[in-house]
Amino acid sequence: MFKKFALACLPLVALSACQDPASSGDGASRSEIRIVGSSTVFPFAKAVAEQFANADPSRKSPILESTGTGGGMELFCNGTGAATPDIANASRRMKKAEFDRCAENGVTDIVELVVGIDGIAVAQSVKGKPLTLTTLDLYKALAANPFGADKNGTASWSDINAAYPAVKLNIYGPPSTSGTRDALTELIMEPGCKTDEKTAALKDSDKEKYEAVCHEVRTDGAYVDAGENDNLIIQKLAGNPDSVGIFGYSFLEENLSTVRGVPINGVEPTYDNIASGKYPGARPLYIYVKKAHLDVIPGLREYIAEFLGAGARDGYLVKAGLIASPDEERAATKAKFEALETLKGDDLK
C-alpha cells in the first residue's frame, strides 16, 4: 500500500501537486515502478520487468497489472503522484478523449513510445477444418448490424460464403475495454465494411452512424467476449475445434502446436508479413510514460531504456513474440525518449 506523506512539493520534475506521493525516507516518491494496461503488451512488459530487477539486486520489481488498454488509460489519467501508474501499456494509440481527460487531471506531459509491432491474429484449432477468410467475411461474421441491417442474421460460416463449412459461428475475442478490440474494429472490420460504397460514404455524411455500422460487434452469442486473458481463448479453441479466436500474434506463435493462424485476404499471420505491413491486422504497440514521474520513481528511466533495447530485432522480446519495428522507427523512438518529447494530442482521434 502507498503511504501518504506531508512533504513540500518537489521541483517541477517531480510529481505534480504532490498528490499523495509515498516517501521511502530518502525523498523518493515510491520505491517501485507501477505499470497498467494492455494484456497484449503485458507479457513483454513482464519480461522486461524481470530482466530489469535481475540486473540489479537493489532494484524492486515493477508492479504490473493487466487491465486492458482502456482500463489502463483510465487509471493512468487519474492524475499524477504515487497513487497513480507511471506507465500505461497500450495495444492501440491513446484516444483524444483519453488525452483530454489526462490533461483535466493534471497529466499534461506524456511521452508516447512505440515498443514494437503486433498482429491481430485470427486463429483456429489445428484439429479444425482450415479456414481462409477476408476482411469482408469477418465483418459479416462480427458486425452487430452489417451494412445497416436491423440485425446480423448469419449463424454459420456457410451463411457468409457458400464455399465455407456449415459450421456454427463461435468466435472468441477481446472485450470492449481492450486495445485489441479497438484494433480489430479499425483494421479488420472497417475495411470489410467499406467494401459497400453507400456505407463507406457515411464516414463523411454521418460519422456516428458510420462507426456504429462498421465498428459495433454483435452481442447475440456468435461472438463471445473472453475477457483480457488471451490464454483462455487458446484453451477454448483447443476444446472446440470448430471455433475461431482473435488475439495478439505473440499468443499464436507461442501455441502453434495447438492452434493455426487463419489467412486474411490471402495473407498468413507471420512475423515477416506483419513486420512488412502486408498482413491486414498489423498494429504498433505503445507505452505511455508520465514525464513528471521520470526523475522521482527510482529506475523508471532505466526500465524504459531496457524495454526499448529489448525490442530490437535481436532482442529477447522478439524471441518472446514481439515484432521489431523497422530500424528508422526504432531510431525515431529512441530519439523521442532521449529528448523526452511529449505528446501534443493534435493528431489523436
Side-chain angles (χ1 to χ4, degrees), residues 37-319:
S38 166
S39 61
T40 300
V41 181
F42 178 84
F44 307 128
K46 183 172 182 288
V48 174
E50 290 171 352
Q51 180 64 27
F52 166 83
N54 290 338
D56 185 344
S58 69
R59 293 172 175 169
K60 289 199 173 183
S61 296
I63 297 173
L64 293 90
E65 295 180 70
S66 179
T67 61
T69 297
M73 288 296 181
E74 184 173 352
L75 293 168
F76 183 81
C77 290
N78 277 342
T80 58
T84 66
D86 310 306
I87 296 175
N89 298 328
S91 54
R92 46 90 174 152
R93 202 171 186 215
M94 176 180 274
K95 297 178 179 179
K96 183 64 164 61
E98 293 166 338
F99 179 85
D100 291 342
R101 182 173 176 273
C102 268
E104 290 170 3
N105 291 332
V107 187
T108 54
D109 291 320
I110 301 168
V111 181
E112 175 190 69
L113 302 168
V114 175
V115 293
I117 303 172
D118 186 38
I120 303 166
V122 178
Q124 61 179 152
S125 167
V126 294
K127 297 178 181 178
K129 186 174 181 181
L131 284 170
T132 297
L133 302 173
T134 65
T135 51
L136 177 58
D137 294 333
L138 286 163
Y139 172 71
K140 289 179 177 179
L142 293 167
N145 309 99
F147 305 119
D150 291 337
K151 64 177 183 178
N152 193 327
T154 60
S156 68
W157 287 109
S158 59
D159 290 338
I160 292 168
N161 187 322
Y164 294 161
V167 173
K168 180 182 177 181
L169 288 172
N170 190 36
I171 304 169
Y172 296 100
S176 59
T177 55
S178 169
T180 301
R181 174 76 160 263
D182 291 328
L184 168 66
T185 59
E186 292 178 13
L187 300 177
I188 302 296
M189 290 179 64
E190 188 170 332
C193 180
K194 290 195 296 185
T195 58
D196 178 72
E197 291 183 4
K198 289 184 179 179
T199 306
L202 286 173
K203 190 169 186 177
D204 295 323
S205 62
D206 191 338
K207 186 176 180 181
E208 184 175 342
K209 184 176 180 180
Y210 171 81
E211 291 185 351
V213 170
C214 291
H215 293 182
E216 285 188 11
V217 176
R218 65 195 301 178
T219 58
D220 58 358
Y223 179 86
V224 181
D225 177 339
E228 295 290 353
N229 186 352
D230 290 345
N231 283 314
L232 177 61
I233 301 179
I234 300 290
Q235 295 170 17
K236 294 287 188 182
L237 297 185
N240 184 354
D242 291 330
S243 61
V244 167
I246 300 169
F247 41 76
Y249 166 77
S250 62
F251 290 89
L252 170 64
E253 187 177 65
E254 290 175 1
N255 294 278
L256 289 175
S257 62
T258 57
V259 296
R260 71 165 71 91
V262 174
I264 301 177
N265 296 348
V267 182
E268 297 269 1
T270 65
Y271 184 101
D272 289 339
N273 286 340
I274 295 169
S276 68
K278 292 179 181 178
Y279 181 69
R283 56 171 176 176
L285 299 178
Y286 301 86
I287 61 172
Y288 290 87
V289 185
K290 290 174 183 171
K291 185 176 178 179
H293 286 206
L294 277 169
D295 291 322
V296 180
I297 304 301
L300 183 54
R301 284 178 183 268
E302 291 79 5
Y303 174 85
I304 297 165
E306 177 69 28
F307 207 141
L308 297 183
R313 186 65 180 85
D314 58 352
Y316 59 84
L317 291 184
V318 170
K319 296 181 178 67

